[in-house]
Amino acid sequence: MTDGLTGVLNRFGVDALGAELVARMHASGQPAFALFIDVNGLKAVNDAHGHEAGDQVICAVAASAGTVIREGDLLGRWGGDEFVIVGRGGLPDADEIADRIGQNLARMDISRLWQEGVSVGGAAGLKDYSGLIAAADEDMYRRRAGVRVTTPMQ
C-alpha cells in the first residue's frame, strides 16, 4: 500500500483508504474532497538529467505535498508524476494548495533540476469515490491547460 520511491500511499492504498474515507464521510452527512496534483515537465527532467533526477523531483513533490495535508487526510502517488490527496471537509482552494507546494519546493532547492511546478485541481461533494477522483483529475487538466499553474520559484 506504500509507494517504494516516495513513502506515501501507492494507488492501491489511496484507492482502498480513500474509498473508505469518502463512504464514511458521506454516511455521516459530511463532505469529502479530492485534489489531483500533476508534476509539470517531468519528462524534460528525465531527458536532460536522467531518471534519478526525475525521481528526486517526484520525491520533493511528495514531501512538499505532505506538508499541506491535515491529520486524517490521505496522500498517495497515483501514477508516475501524479499525486492525489483525499480528505474530509470542504474543498481547499486548489490555487492556494499549488502555491503552498511551490513555496515548499522553493525551499528544497531543486530548481537546478526543475522549475516547471505543479498543476492542482480539485473536487468535493460527490458521494462516489471514483467520481470524486475523476472530477478532481478533470479539474487539474482544465487548470493545466492554462487557467492556473504555479512554479516552485514563487
Side-chain angles (χ1 to χ4, degrees):
M1 289 190 41
T2 302
D3 178 59
L5 178 64
T6 63
V8 302
L9 291 170
N10 63 20
R11 187 170 181 166
F12 175 79
V14 78
D15 269 348
L17 298 175
E20 181 182 303
L21 186 148
V22 171
R24 191 172 60 245
M25 297 308 293
H26 177 68
S28 69
Q30 301 295 316
F33 70 87
L35 293 170
F36 212 93
I37 303 165
D38 184 70
V39 179
N40 300 319
L42 187 64
K43 182 180 180 336
V45 173
N46 288 334
D47 290 349
H49 304 287
H51 287 277
E52 285 186 25
D55 287 351
Q56 289 176 21
V57 170
I58 289 169
C59 288
V61 171
S64 180
T67 67
V68 303
I69 64 173
R70 302 164 304 176
E71 186 175 331
D73 291 346
L74 306 172
L75 170 63
R77 185 170 176 202
W78 192 253
D81 66 346
E82 296 172 323
F83 295 87
V84 170
I85 297 172
V86 180
R88 10 168 213 63
L91 180 63
D93 183 278
D95 293 339
E96 181 183 322
I97 295 295
D99 287 343
R100 289 174 54 199
I101 290 171
Q103 291 164 2
N104 291 333
L105 288 166
R107 287 190 286 276
M108 292 178 187
D109 192 31
I110 60 167
S111 63
R112 63 183 162 57
L113 297 175
W114 171 73
Q115 298 179 5
E116 297 297 316
V118 297
S119 297
V120 179
L126 301 171
K127 63 181 179 178
D128 175 67
Y129 169 77
S130 59
L132 189 64
I133 295 294
D137 187 28
E138 182 180 315
D139 187 52
M140 183 276 301
Y141 277 109
R142 182 183 59 80
R143 290 169 181 271
R144 190 174 70 186
V147 173
R148 174 89 158 116
V149 173
T150 66
T151 68
M153 302 309 290
Q154 290 185 339

